[in-house]
Amino acid sequence: NAGVTQTPKFRVLKTGQSMTLLCAQDMNHEYMYWYRQDPGMGLRLIHYSVGEGTTAKGEVPDGYNVSRLKKQNFLLGLESAAPSQTSVYFCASSLPQTGPTGELFFGEGSRLTVL
Amino acid sequence: LAKTTQPISMDSYEGQEVNITCSHNNIATNDYITWYQQFPSQGPRFIIQGYKTKVTNEVASLFIPADRKSSTLSLPRVSLSDTAVYYCPAEANTGGFKTIFGAGTRLFVKA
C-alpha cells in the first residue's frame, strides 16, 4: 500500500517553462488537494478536488491548473513557470469530510526550483 | 472565514510535558479538531483528532473545552525526536470541504 505518491520529487525549471506534477493515491479517497509550502511558512492550499472530474480553487490558485480525470490521480500544472513558484508542493488525499474531519494523508513532497 | 491561531514557536527540554494551544475562530458545529505533525522534508502526518472533552492516543492528548473555541495538544515527556512543526488546521466548509493550514507551531526540544 503506497498511500500518496508524488512525481517527480525534484525538478528545476527555467522561467516560462511548463511542467506537470502528478499525484497518485491508492486509498480510494474522494478528496485530493495540492498545497505549497515556502520556507518557514505553513501550507497554502492551491487547488482541491472533491471527486473525479471536479476541481476547485484554494487560497493561492493563480498560475496553476489542475485536472482530476481519474479518481486516483490529481495533476498540478504550471503553464509558464515563474521564480515565485519555487516551493515544495505537497499532495494530500482524504475521505469525504462529512461528520468527523477527514484525516489528510500527505505525499512526500515535490521540490520545484524555477530559475 | 474559518481560521486557527497558534503560537509561532515553542522551546522545551527533553522529558518535559509540552502543551500547544490553538484558537479556533468560527469553528462549525460539525467540525472536528485535528492536529498534524511535520518533520523537515516530509509531509504533515495526522497525530490526533477530537470533537469535545479529552482524547488520548499513544502519541498525545487533546483537550477541548465545552465551547470548542480552543484546543490544547499535550505531548508527554518530549524527546529530541519531537522537534517538528505542529498544525491545527481549520476546516472551511463553504463551497466544498477544504482544510486550511496556518504557519503552525515550531517546537524545538533541547537536550
Side-chain angles (χ1 to χ4, degrees), chain A residues 63-78:
Chain A
Y64 304 95
N65 57 76
V66 289
S67 64
R68 183 101 181 266
L69 299 180
K70 294 183 178 180
K71 184 177 182 179
Q72 64 267 34
N73 295 336
F74 195 29
L75 278 64
L76 178 71
L78 287 72

Side-chain angles (χ1 to χ4, degrees), chain B residues 22-92:
Chain B
C22 178
S23 295
H24 298 268
N25 181 36
N26 294 330
I27 187 170
T29 303
N30 291 336
D31 286 347
Y32 277 55
I33 292 171
T34 308
W35 283 78
Y36 293 83
Q37 175 190 55
Q38 184 180 27
F39 296 115
S41 302
Q42 294 184 24
R45 66 173 189 175
F46 171 91
I47 301 177
I48 195 166
Q49 181 184 89
Y51 185 80
K52 207 183 278 189
T53 62
K54 177 183 175 182
V55 177
T56 298
N57 62 21
E58 65 279 4
V59 176
S61 294
L62 178 60
F63 300 90
I64 303 171
D67 65 5
R68 301 190 348 107
K69 297 296 185 184
S70 66
S71 67
T72 299
L73 175 72
S74 181
L75 305 172
R77 297 179 299 281
V78 294
S79 64
L80 297 177
S81 63
D82 291 316
T83 293
V85 180
Y86 294 83
Y87 298 94
C88 57
E91 299 303 318

